[in-house]
Amino acid sequence: MSKTVEDLVVLGSGPAGYTAAIYAARAGLNPLVVAGAIDAGGALMTTTDVENFPGFPEGVQGPDLMAKMQAQAEKFGARVEFDDASAVDFSGETFKITLYDRVVEAKSVIISTGSAYRHMNVPGEDLLSGRGVSYCATCDGFFFKGKELAVVGGGDSAMEEALFLTRFAAKVTIVHRRDELRASKVMADRAMANDKIEFAWDSVVTEVLGKDGVEGLALKNTKTGEVSELPVQGVFVAIGHDPRSDLFKGQLDLTPGGYIVVDEPGTLTSRPGIFAAGDVVDDTYRQAITAAGTGCRAALDAQRYLEGLE
């Protein structure tokens, strides 16, 4: 494999990665962004209306926002490659990152790999994934016209999924393990006001039913233990995310939940020269704007680190 040495490699894209790339490129660091082969742009690529990102009073489509961030980074000299890192070695003076066709060496790295959809881990979920089980309403909602669907979760993302699905579905049932939502008031109010949305409170999914496609959900009441079946033709899982940090196990300090440990308020990890930003660090806020803020901090931290090497 051929090798090149970069001043800075940004692993991952999304608001954190692209913001880091914008700041680093403007500082003359000519960063290489390994944006991901499939998940480039992060979670916002599967988000419809983003109404809370500053500067867009009318809202903006998630993919459009990420396209603008990418274009802005490239305008200032960032290089974006749609590839995935398959291995990293942070033990040497320079850091080695294995891509599809080569190994890249870097003096500094910003990790912004984000998080992945969390699974329910119940019988039938994996078997019927792609055959009625989905984790992205904007990706798959169109295929469920006139169907009765379920959304599992109680946060903002679950409400957004449910509201989007009402464009296609005959009915959407939100399954939530408690008797009140975790979602923000505005999102909860929108869901409760929608005539197509019903709620299965105090309920958890114990099995996804069906052979060739989803036919229903087996539910258990968290208070009474009563079991029931909810007949649906599709289920959309929106119960949170897990940090994409498996690649860094044994290389960096992680929390018990798998988030990369950084030296707050900075972004330095347990390894000098390695910085982390966005949802792979943040288990509290997980917002596009907070991810972008940490991406800015990571770029500034990396710039200072590189200046110290000179």
Side-chain angles (χ1 to χ4, degrees):
M1 293 184 178
S2 62
K3 296 181 180 180
T4 58
V5 179
E6 304 283 348
D7 282 333
L8 173 63
V9 170
V10 179
L11 292 178
S13 45
Y18 283 141
T19 301
I22 290 168
Y23 273 77
R26 282 176 53 84
L29 299 181
N30 194 30
L32 172 65
V33 181
V34 181
I38 298 175
D39 298 319
L44 284 187
M45 294 299 290
T46 58
T47 302
T48 50
D49 295 324
V50 180
E51 298 179 324
N52 56 5
F53 200 90
F56 296 92
E58 305 302 323
V60 60
Q61 297 287 300
D64 292 342
L65 178 59
M66 298 323 303
K68 290 178 182 294
M69 286 190 180
Q70 178 189 338
Q72 190 171 357
E74 291 176 323
K75 172 186 175 181
F76 294 115
R79 293 158 295 139
V80 178
E81 289 193 19
F82 298 101
D83 200 349
D84 291 312
S86 58
V88 296
D89 181 358
F90 295 156
S91 62
E93 292 186 4
T94 59
F95 310 120
K96 297 179 181 179
I97 301 161
T98 302
L99 304 182
Y100 174 74
D101 60 351
R102 71 190 194 282
V103 171
V104 174
E105 291 193 20
K107 298 176 184 178
S108 64
V109 176
I110 293 174
I111 300 169
S112 59
T113 45
S115 57
Y117 297 114
R118 185 172 296 158
H119 289 215
M120 297 183 293
N121 296 319
V122 299
E125 180 181 12
D126 291 341
L127 176 67
L128 296 172
S129 180
R131 292 186 289 169
V133 175
S134 175
Y135 304 86
C136 175
T138 55
C139 304
D140 301 326
F142 176 81
F143 301 108
F144 293 88
K145 286 186 175 180
K147 306 294 185 181
E148 294 190 2
L149 306 175
V151 172
V152 181
D156 277 355
S157 60
M159 299 308 106
E160 183 176 355
E161 297 273 283
L163 287 163
F164 179 81
L165 289 170
T166 59
R167 303 182 187 185
F168 311 101
K171 183 176 75 171
V172 178
T173 300
I174 296 175
V175 180
H176 186 43
R177 64 173 54 246
R178 299 190 298 174
D179 58 3
E180 61 180 0
L181 298 171
R182 294 183 292 105
S184 61
K185 186 178 185 302
V186 63
M187 293 302 293
D189 287 348
R190 287 179 186 175
M192 291 181 177
N194 193 298
D195 292 337
K196 284 190 175 183
I197 294 178
E198 298 181 359
F199 292 84
W201 299 109
D202 300 316
S203 298
V204 294
V205 177
T206 58
E207 184 177 358
V208 181
L209 306 173
K211 184 177 180 181
D212 298 319
V214 172
E215 298 175 4
L217 299 177
L219 302 181
K220 181 179 180 180
N221 188 285
T222 57
K223 292 182 177 178
T224 67
E226 180 183 356
V227 295
S228 61
E229 289 188 8
L230 176 67
V232 292
Q233 293 81 58
V235 54
F236 289 77
V237 183
I239 56 175
H241 303 80
D242 291 313
R244 296 180 184 271
S245 60
D246 287 350
L247 193 64
F248 314 110
K249 289 180 179 178
Q251 302 272 343
L252 302 172
D253 289 347
L254 307 178
T255 71
Y259 292 87
I260 296 176
V261 176
V262 296
D263 186 18
E264 293 281 3
T267 61
L268 177 64
T269 68
S270 55
R271 181 68 170 87
I274 307 293
F275 307 88
D279 286 1
V280 75
V281 173
D282 179 14
D283 65 347
T284 303
Y285 300 104
R286 293 191 292 268
Q287 300 294 310
I289 189 63
T290 55
T294 59
C296 165
R297 283 191 279 155
L300 296 175
D301 289 343
Q303 179 186 353
R304 294 188 185 103
Y305 171 78
L306 291 168
E307 289 171 350
L309 296 180
E310 296 177 356

